[in-house]
Amino acid sequence: VFKEVDFGTNLLDGPYAQTGIGEVFKSVSQSNGEQALAISDFQQYPPSYGAPAAFIATPIKIRGRLAGVLILQMPITHIDQILTSHQHWEQEGLGKTGDTYLVGSDGLLRSNVRKIIENKAQFLSDLAKIEIAPEQIAKIDRYQTTILQLPINAELLQNPQEMEGQLAIGENYFGKPVMATFTDLTFAQL
């Protein structure tokens, strides 16, 4: 537990009101504590030096009245470690090239892809070949992550709801042939 520059700022109209922390605070507090839980999607969070973070909030009630809001910042590192199999892809059954990743509804990754971890220089070179903008590649290089940086425009992701739970064959974001399966993740009915 530590204080960042958001400590003591107004979450209704202060500098971080439009970030995930402000969203969950407003959601819970404006429902007068009737909403038991609010969760934000992962976004770059300026007080954490732009690191991806999501927030989860719940009301604190005293004698049935809203007395405060408890908010927890959720870094993405643990989710990323699970999706990258703690970098033990082969031992987890993904072979030499298999990969798992999480894609948000905005098309941006919420986890790293295997290639950036195994060979970042080659990965960045490959990105240039598929017409990713040079400034986007520079951001991926600078932040050393694909999380919230790389848009996934693979043909297979165009209608994932229609393909949920099915094995699909198509091309990945590099145009390489892949077998894929999809599932929609929901948490706490959100």
Side-chain angles (χ1 to χ4, degrees):
V1 175
F2 55 92
K3 298 174 186 165
E4 293 181 318
V5 297
D6 55 357
F7 181 74
T9 61
N10 187 321
L11 295 179
L12 293 175
D13 59 13
Y16 307 109
Q18 302 305 313
T19 66
I21 194 170
E23 290 172 16
V24 296
F25 175 78
K26 285 182 261 191
S27 181
V28 170
S29 63
Q30 290 174 352
S31 73
N32 201 25
E34 296 304 315
Q35 183 175 344
L37 190 67
I39 301 173
S40 72
D41 193 359
F42 284 93
Q43 303 172 350
Q44 289 182 313
Y45 188 56
S48 297
Y49 301 101
F55 294 88
I56 185 168
T58 191
I60 299 172
K61 293 182 178 181
I62 298 176
R63 293 186 214 43
R65 294 187 61 210
L66 181 66
V69 176
L70 174 65
I71 303 173
L72 301 174
Q73 181 176 344
M74 300 182 301
I76 204 161
T77 52
H78 296 298
I79 293 170
D80 189 48
Q81 288 173 347
I82 291 167
L83 287 165
T84 59
S85 303
H86 295 276
Q87 300 180 21
H88 296 111
W89 295 278
E90 287 191 56
Q91 297 91 321
E92 295 294 327
L94 291 171
K96 297 206 179 292
T97 60
D99 204 354
T100 57
Y101 47 84
L102 188 61
V103 181
S105 59
D106 59 1
L108 293 175
L109 285 169
R110 299 300 193 270
S111 61
N112 276 303
V113 294
R114 181 175 182 170
K115 290 184 98 178
I116 194 171
I117 296 168
E118 289 185 325
N119 188 341
K120 185 177 93 169
Q122 182 63 52
F123 176 71
L124 295 174
S125 174
D126 290 346
L127 286 179
K129 294 174 189 170
I130 61 168
E131 300 179 11
I132 299 291
E135 54 275 1
Q136 192 65 42
I137 295 170
K139 284 177 76 175
I140 292 168
D141 187 24
R142 182 180 25 193
Y143 291 122
Q144 299 184 41
T145 186
T146 57
I147 299 170
L148 296 177
Q149 300 300 323
L150 184 62
I152 298 296
N153 298 317
E155 151 199 332
L156 290 172
L157 290 174
Q158 299 309 312
N159 296 305
Q161 296 84 4
E162 293 175 15
M163 302 171 71
E164 185 166 347
Q166 299 180 35
L167 185 62
I169 297 176
E171 293 183 348
N172 69 4
Y173 54 98
F174 280 118
K176 303 285 185 190
V178 295
M179 288 189 303
T181 188
F182 307 87
T183 190
D184 189 29
L185 295 178
T186 56
F187 181 75
Q189 300 176 355
L190 299 173

